[in-house]
Amino acid sequence: MSQQGYVAAPPYSQAQPGMGAYQGGFGSGPAQPLYGHYGGPPQAPPAGVMKSPVSSVAGMPLSPVSSQYNPNVQQNGAHPQSYPAPPAVSAPYGQPPHSLYNNMASPGPPPTQQLTNQMSSMNLGNYGNPPPPASSVAQQPFQAPPPSSLAPQHMPPGPQSPHMSPQMSPPQSPQANMPMAGQSMAGTPMAGTGRPFPGPPPQGPGGFQQPGLASAGQPGYPQQAGQFGGYMAGPQPNMPGGFPGAPSALAGPPQKKLDPDSIPSITQVIEDDQVKQGGEVFSTNIRGQVPPLVTTDFTVTDQGNASPRFIRCTTYSLPCTADLAKQCQVPLAAIVKPFASLPKNETPLYVVNHGDTGPVRCNRCKAYMCPYMQFIDGGRRYQCGFCNCVNEVPVFYFQHLDHMGRRVDFYERPELSLGSYEFVATLDYCKNNKPPNPPAYIFMIDVSYNNIKSGLVKLICDELKTLLEKLPREEGMENSAIKVGFVTYNKVLHFYNVKSALAQPQMMVVSDTAEMFVPLLNGFLVNYQDSRAVIYNLLDQIPDMFADTSESETVFAPVIQAGVEAFKAAECSGKLFIFHSSMPTAEAPGKLKNRDDKKLVNTDKEKTLFQPQKSVYEQLSKDCVASGCCVDLFLFPSQYSDMATMADVPSHTGGSVYKYSNFQVETDGEHFLRDLRKDVQKSIGFDAIMRVRTSTGFRATDFFGAVYMSNTTDIEMAAVDCDKAVTVEFKHDDTLSEETGAFMQCALLYTTISGQRRLRIHNLSLNCSSQLSELYKSCETDSLINFFAKSAYRAILNQPLKNVREILVNQTAHMLACYRKNCASPSAASQLILPDAMKVFPVYMNSLMKTAPLVGSTELSTDDRAHQRLSVTAMGVEDTQLLLYPRLTPLHNVDVDSEKPPAPVRCSEERLTDSGMFLLENGQSMFLWLGQASPPDLIQNLFNLPSLAHLQGHMCALPELDNPLSKKVRSIISSLLEKRPNSMKLHIVRQRDKPEMLFRQFLVEDKGLHGGASYMDFLCYVHREIRQLLT
Ligand SMILES: [Zn+2]
């Protein structure tokens, strides 16, 4: 648990005081008293499906409360509202109600005077040419994306900014001064090392007080995580080569000169955690325990709290009061992935069946029976851990308590001993009090000219023949219960009757797209197994039927409407797979016009590029969610297609959007098919509604995800698959108790792939502390950045991008300054001191600000920006981590005999070598980069070509060659493709070729191609902001 602060805290490897109840580390923690049931002997996993006697239903005291809820239950899922309705969801980020965000200690942009002072104190004179004091800059320091425009003026001086110790000797050479280098810097004139940052760094507590690390005089900068943390030394004046003077050049040079190893490294943090916790078992029996990183390979044993695969938090120790929360500005949030896939060696969720009585719930807050319910009165009553209400134990559920006050059936009931489990839902939880029908998948193929001509339609039809054999099915069932249906369309829709009794499929055309209806009921949604022959026949015929089409116009909203009507008619939920080519311009509801306008970029109206065109699509989302209709969109555009609007329905219905620009079967076909296969086979739940309950004192206030909210508490999802996550923000409404801790329960009501109604429950307990140091120790940077990405991406719908970026930077500085002020031991102001658990937070934050949606560049496609914005909204922690810090892995020296994947290196150009080969992937794109001096034998082995010069562009897969290197590299690539939620197209790029630019934009530690500071510059800038906040 490397949670302590850098300088301030005790040694990294030591047990940390103050971690409250759980010093013991995994597994050995003492039982938490308030936890009631925990802490006992390692629990024997409950065996099999639990069945409880239901005979005593009659005797069960049916509380008036629950009966009165029934109507509500049916409509709303399992979440009757007896709980006091929380106040309205607060406005997104940055808006007035959220003073938290705006209210940085630093009141907005420093006034001109202040800035001027800063600038002058930066010793700009040391640079060849001081940056021109741009007036706009002077007024709004960090408004531009840290990018180019601004960076020049503000960032570069960073290093030498105010905090630079005056007595610093002049820099001597390009390297080094990594400001933060920490220990090594202290007192070490870097002179001999040829590093510019000669400055005798401030002495004192030393950059690194980490025990065990010398605080002074160490040359070299071990890039060990624990080792830096030092002070930000000054900047390097006088870089060799000087600054060309052009402001834009200013940002560049300094970063290259510093020793990049001296600033905190994500790859190092990942590696350290893997070494420390990789292969270990993480038992969830300890309240507030910080899990291993999302990148670490570990096994989870559920002992009373949900696995981190289901829920991760920004911090596992909440501040006790709203004031403390406000003071530190660390967002309190949980990222919930209710359907997360579990590795094969972890136990799937147990299903509890209480028969007709349904799950036992608190009469007042309706929380479900869980380990946080405290049994009293010899087992006759229990106190709810969420609202403290004392409830009678239903007669059928009564059980005696042992001498510890624990029910004797503790280990036999998942809902008493586990963090996650399911209940079979009763009819009360079903629409119209009727058990649901099995869900359906409808494949809707745009057969307009573009899709026919590209060969896409044939590709899809051919693939479906085999893919439909692999529809998700219940464990142990031979066939999938999911029904299938088929529609093709251009300006009109064609429905197909594929009833098994037919010899030939029948087509029915609906041309009135304004009044969409489904022209047939019987035979439209069928069991694939029953109708296989007819479906084959249909899939064979479709490409030919439209082979000569000249129709290029399409409709879109009516296609979704047709799906909704079909599900309504069949009284089932399900998913639409829409394969669509272009912006819908045909005369019909939801017709769109090209509204792309690059002139809006970097203006106050830029936000409109991200806003969907309302009306029709807004209503459609509502209809979809009401009928459990999830929409997945596969888009194959050749030009702007208003992604912001077209993806609106998918992103409110738990759907996914895939985009293949200028699709060509040869180069993109396999990529698309991999996505389609993954998507069709994903584990998924339908017609879902989730409620997050919390113990008293705090409350879920805001939600981010591919969800629909018709009120402030019910998170509705037409479907939710294993990759979709909802980020939930919490606010205080009272004081939290250190003793009791804080509990949350996420209850998801959904329909299984075979049509069973279930409740999936995830419980998590957190610590609470009146010490901010506890919060900082228990932070999880990967979760924090997930929250920031989602909230910033939502904020850009309503605010100018520059404001959003400014808020992000301010909040970063504020969070870190608060740590410095309240948690770190005193040290020289020139030191940058970061909490250990957040030491790489600035890299992620800087990377986030350079992402397409936030960067504000006319060179980026509006559709791509909108697409990324929406995709991230539904991502879990693992995906945002990878997206914001891609894996860059050297492959030229890969050990072909090793099972272990090669270790990634930092995402910076500095790590590339002319004779090297590197694989870069971020979950969305994948590149194989080849240095211009790649050895011929490597090229021969991988491509069967004599030299790099023979490599043709557009290659998107490696040839299958029979040699160890080829096999190894291909297996590394395919295991990554297997592992990630999305397929990635492989781009093979040669150093210095034009396509290399695409690759370079993912080197997130470097200055952004489209704007945005390098990591080094950003860190220096943040450090300066922190110093300002502290003065
Ligand atoms: Zn309760």
Side-chain angles (χ1 to χ4, degrees):
M1 250 163 276
S2 50
Q3 306 304 322
Q4 86 269 22
Y6 255 122
V7 173
Y12 198 80
S13 52
Q14 234 163 250
Q16 302 154 27
M19 285 291 255
Y22 59 110
Q23 322 186 346
F26 302 1
S28 58
Q32 287 276 335
L34 280 162
Y35 231 65
H37 315 299
Y38 285 131
Q43 111 199 29
V49 171
M50 299 285 156
K51 294 216 173 173
S52 303
V54 293
S55 54
S56 45
V57 177
M60 171 183 160
L62 198 81
S63 82
V65 183
S66 58
S67 55
Q68 127 194 356
Y69 278 121
N70 280 347
N72 200 358
V73 166
Q74 292 150 23
Q75 302 243 329
N76 233 1
H79 312 285
Q81 303 221 0
S82 66
Y83 203 52
V89 174
S90 27
Y93 187 55
Q95 298 210 319
H98 262 200
S99 55
L100 183 65
Y101 288 97
N102 283 331
N103 240 353
M104 312 282 323
S106 83
T112 309
Q113 182 55 50
Q114 191 181 344
L115 191 82
T116 311
N117 290 344
Q118 281 176 39
M119 306 267 292
S120 60
S121 66
M122 284 176 200
N123 276 337
L124 289 179
N126 280 351
Y127 288 97
N129 285 312
S135 61
S136 64
V137 169
Q139 284 165 5
Q140 299 179 318
F142 203 69
Q143 56 179 292
S148 45
S149 60
L150 224 208
Q153 288 95 347
H154 295 271
M155 305 297 265
Q160 74 177 319
S161 53
H163 57 276
M164 181 181 183
S165 49
Q167 71 269 38
M168 256 191 155
S169 48
Q172 333 232 329
S173 76
Q175 262 248 13
N177 59 70
M178 185 19 197
M180 354 224 10
Q183 89 269 24
S184 48
M185 302 300 295
T188 312
M190 305 304 290
T193 66
R195 317 195 166 202
F197 265 27
Q203 296 280 350
F208 286 122
Q209 304 189 344
Q210 307 229 328
L213 295 177
S215 59
Q218 291 199 354
Y221 298 150
Q223 63 179 19
Q224 278 294 336
Q227 301 199 354
F228 89 78
Y231 63 94
M232 287 288 251
Q236 49 239 86
N238 281 341
M239 309 289 304
F243 289 94
S248 64
L250 274 176
Q255 83 204 47
K256 293 213 175 133
K257 310 304 185 179
L258 301 174
D259 177 2
D261 282 350
S262 61
I263 52 177
S265 156
I266 289 183
T267 51
Q268 190 65 47
V269 166
I270 290 176
E271 196 181 319
D272 290 347
D273 197 65
Q274 177 65 37
V275 166
K276 199 161 141 208
Q277 314 202 59
E280 300 285 312
V281 173
F282 178 78
S283 300
T284 67
N285 58 336
I286 299 164
R287 186 178 85 194
Q289 187 179 17
V290 182
L293 294 182
V294 75
T295 43
T296 297
D297 236 341
F298 61 103
T299 304
V300 183
T301 317
D302 185 341
Q303 294 194 359
N305 284 291
S307 160
R309 303 191 201 288
F310 296 122
I311 309 181
R312 281 186 175 262
C313 294
T314 54
T315 178
Y316 291 80
S317 178
L318 302 179
C320 282
T321 64
D323 281 350
L324 277 177
K326 194 172 172 188
Q327 194 186 338
C328 68
Q329 294 196 8
V330 175
L332 309 177
I335 297 91
V336 186
K337 209 193 230 184
F339 263 82
S341 310
L342 298 179
K344 291 202 171 64
N345 59 349
E346 292 180 14
T347 320
L349 301 195
Y350 291 97
V351 181
V352 181
N353 190 346
H354 288 329
D356 293 342
T357 58
V360 178
R361 306 176 66 175
C362 169
N363 286 330
R364 188 200 285 166
C365 73
K366 306 315 256 180
Y368 295 84
M369 181 51 64
C370 71
Y372 316 139
M373 303 299 187
Q374 182 89 40
F375 287 85
I376 51 176
D377 271 4
R380 285 184 296 275
R381 299 196 296 163
Y382 68 93
Q383 182 168 24
C384 174
F386 299 92
C387 71
N388 299 323
C389 172
V390 173
N391 296 271
E392 298 288 327
V393 172
V395 173
F396 87 91
Y397 202 69
F398 175 80
Q399 187 53 268
H400 293 285
L401 308 183
D402 65 15
H403 64 287
M404 313 251 307
R406 191 159 66 185
R407 284 172 60 119
V408 299
D409 60 353
F410 179 78
Y411 290 123
E412 284 136 44
R413 291 191 179 270
E415 75 275 21
L416 298 181
S417 51
L418 298 181
S420 301
Y421 43 87
E422 294 198 326
F423 289 113
V424 172
T426 59
L427 290 181
D428 287 346
Y429 298 87
C430 302
K431 267 185 192 141
N432 307 321
N433 266 16
K434 278 166 57 182
N437 289 316
Y441 283 176
I442 306 178
F443 297 87
M444 314 181 99
I445 308 171
D446 164 358
V447 289
S448 66
Y449 179 76
N450 282 341
N451 276 359
I452 292 288
K453 189 176 140 233
S454 69
L456 176 68
V457 173
K458 181 160 176 22
L459 188 71
I460 296 168
C461 290
D462 287 348
E463 178 66 22
L464 286 181
K465 291 182 202 165
T466 49
L467 189 52
L468 294 178
E469 302 281 359
K470 300 173 192 157
L471 293 172
R473 71 189 78 171
E474 264 342 313
E475 189 84 19
M477 276 177 64
E478 197 180 333
N479 294 323
S480 171
I482 295 175
K483 303 207 169 191
V484 294
F486 304 87
V487 171
T488 56
Y489 66 94
N490 37 50
K491 272 161 74 170
V492 299
L493 278 75
H494 324 106
F495 293 81
Y496 296 93
N497 185 341
V498 285
K499 198 159 43 174
S500 60
L502 295 173
Q504 281 282 326
Q506 295 170 345
M507 179 204 271
M508 294 177 153
V509 180
V510 175
S511 51
D512 182 1
T513 51
E515 296 285 334
M516 191 42 64
F517 67 99
V518 179
L520 75 166
L521 277 184
N522 187 8
F524 178 59
L525 296 177
V526 300
N527 275 321
Y528 175 68
Q529 270 70 24
D530 298 345
S531 294
R532 191 190 277 119
V534 195
I535 292 173
Y536 256 64
N537 198 323
L538 171 68
L539 294 171
D540 279 338
Q541 290 186 39
I542 288 176
D544 295 339
M545 277 191 284
F546 301 97
D548 300 324
T549 188
S550 57
E551 185 55 70
S552 60
E553 284 193 323
T554 56
V555 295
F556 183 62
V559 178
I560 299 176
Q561 192 69 50
V564 172
E565 299 305 326
F567 290 143
K568 272 190 202 160
E571 297 186 324
C572 71
S573 52
K575 178 144 98 168
L576 309 181
F577 294 80
I578 304 182
F579 306 94
H580 192 88
S581 62
S582 56
M583 197 159 65
T585 52
E587 207 50 62
K591 171 184 174 179
L592 298 176
K593 283 194 191 124
N594 187 334
R595 62 189 181 111
D596 190 17
D597 186 356
K598 291 281 172 62
K599 287 198 294 294
L600 300 181
V601 172
N602 283 322
T603 71
D604 284 358
K605 288 190 177 154
E606 184 169 8
K607 60 189 177 200
T608 59
L609 297 176
F610 298 111
Q611 293 165 349
Q613 299 186 50
K614 294 279 182 184
S615 65
V616 174
Y617 292 97
E618 200 174 23
Q619 182 59 41
L620 208 45
S621 292
K622 209 171 172 178
D623 292 351
C624 280
V625 171
S627 29
C629 171
C630 167
V631 178
D632 272 359
L633 174 61
F634 295 79
L635 192 60
F636 305 84
S638 51
Q639 54 191 328
Y640 172 80
S641 51
D642 197 351
M643 182 60 104
T645 304
M646 294 195 69
D648 192 47
V649 176
S651 58
H652 281 98
T653 57
S656 301
V657 176
Y658 304 87
K659 177 166 174 279
Y660 312 89
S661 299
N662 302 310
F663 178 84
Q664 289 183 299
V665 168
E666 307 72 46
T667 50
D668 307 287
E670 196 48 39
H671 170 209
F672 153 65
L673 291 178
R674 281 196 306 258
D675 275 333
L676 177 61
R677 289 173 197 141
K678 273 178 189 265
D679 194 300
V680 167
Q681 299 176 64
K682 266 182 192 179
S683 85
I684 186 169
F686 300 93
D687 202 8
I689 184 162
M690 185 165 85
R691 172 78 76 93
V692 180
R693 291 183 173 79
T694 49
S695 51
T696 53
F698 77 121
R699 180 165 48 83
T701 53
D702 210 349
F703 307 87
F704 306 84
V707 303
Y708 187 85
M709 302 282 298
S710 53
N711 58 44
T712 54
T713 50
D714 293 316
I715 306 155
E716 296 180 68
M717 290 168 279
V720 50
D721 66 47
C722 54
D723 299 314
K724 299 289 185 299
V726 179
T727 298
V728 182
E729 188 181 12
F730 300 104
K731 290 267 163 40
H732 284 77
D733 46 21
D734 205 344
T735 301
L736 298 170
S737 147
E738 291 194 338
E739 208 184 333
T740 322
F743 302 135
M744 70 178 81
Q745 180 177 77
C746 304
L748 179 88
L749 175 65
Y750 75 100
T751 301
T752 68
I753 45 174
S754 58
Q756 195 179 28
R757 204 71 176 145
R758 295 251 183 98
L759 282 149
R760 176 171 283 222
I761 313 291
H762 296 300
N763 302 291
L764 187 66
S765 61
L766 302 175
N767 283 338
C768 299
S769 176
S770 51
Q771 303 299 316
L772 282 178
S773 56
E774 289 300 314
L775 173 144
Y776 283 101
K777 263 181 216 168
S778 308
C779 270
E780 195 187 311
T781 288
D782 296 333
S783 296
L784 278 169
I785 200 68
N786 176 282
F787 172 84
F788 277 107
K790 292 187 182 188
S791 57
Y793 281 6
R794 181 190 289 174
I796 59 178
L797 284 179
N798 304 306
Q799 309 186 51
L801 271 69
K802 68 175 167 49
N803 293 7
V804 176
R805 290 189 299 254
E806 210 169 281
I807 291 167
L808 291 175
V809 178
N810 287 347
Q811 195 164 355
T812 302
H814 189 103
M815 286 160 52
L816 299 174
C818 178
Y819 171 80
R820 173 66 183 262
K821 190 171 171 189
N822 298 286
C823 312
S825 49
S827 55
S830 55
Q831 292 179 311
L832 173 62
I833 297 178
L834 304 172
D836 191 59
M838 284 172 66
K839 67 180 170 236
V840 288
F841 182 72
V843 204
Y844 286 115
M845 185 54 93
N846 187 42
S847 175
L848 171 61
M849 291 194 297
K850 291 190 280 188
T851 56
L854 281 172
V855 84
S857 161
T858 52
E859 288 165 46
L860 295 166
S861 122
T862 302
D863 277 343
D864 285 347
R865 299 176 74 199
H867 185 209
Q868 180 168 351
R869 192 187 81 77
L870 291 166
S871 311
V872 166
T873 299
M875 281 185 184
V877 178
E878 212 164 355
D879 299 338
T880 47
Q881 189 281 329
L882 184 61
L883 182 73
L884 295 173
Y885 201 84
R887 299 278 183 288
L888 177 62
T889 313
L891 292 182
H892 46 276
N893 49 9
V894 63
D895 177 357
V896 295
D897 297 320
S898 169
E899 290 286 303
K900 232 179 110 191
V905 296
R906 300 175 75 146
C907 269
S908 164
E909 187 187 343
E910 309 228 1
R911 307 290 156 169
L912 304 175
T913 52
D914 285 0
S915 59
M917 169 170 72
F918 292 82
L919 186 70
L920 182 145
E921 57 109 10
N922 71 349
Q924 309 288 311
S925 308
M926 181 186 267
F927 295 87
L928 186 64
W929 181 93
L930 296 153
Q932 55 184 353
S934 294
D937 60 327
L938 183 145
I939 301 299
Q940 184 66 47
N941 282 333
L942 274 189
F943 301 99
N944 200 20
L945 293 171
S947 80
L948 201 54
H950 292 76
L951 194 63
Q952 298 296 310
H954 306 306
M955 187 185 257
C956 55
L958 294 175
E960 296 190 12
L961 302 177
D962 188 17
N963 66 70
L965 181 69
S966 172
K967 285 181 184 164
K968 181 70 186 173
V969 171
R970 282 184 289 118
S971 93
I972 289 173
I973 292 175
S974 60
S975 72
L976 283 172
L977 290 176
E978 182 67 28
K979 208 163 144 190
R980 308 296 181 218
N982 291 333
S983 148
M984 293 174 273
K985 180 177 171 182
L986 179 66
H987 301 268
I988 296 170
V989 296
R990 281 181 296 206
Q991 185 178 16
R992 312 252 157 96
D993 271 6
K994 205 175 166 198
E996 197 198 9
M997 296 305 275
L998 281 176
F999 162 83
R1000 287 190 178 253
Q1001 64 184 325
F1002 296 108
L1003 300 176
V1004 299
E1005 292 202 13
D1006 299 343
K1007 193 164 175 287
L1009 278 190
H1010 303 288
S1014 71
Y1015 171 29
M1016 185 77 79
D1017 287 342
F1018 180 71
L1019 202 52
C1020 292
Y1021 182 85
V1022 166
H1023 185 212
R1024 204 184 53 186
E1025 295 289 295
I1026 292 172
R1027 295 201 52 190
Q1028 276 205 317
L1029 290 172
L1030 294 174
T1031 50

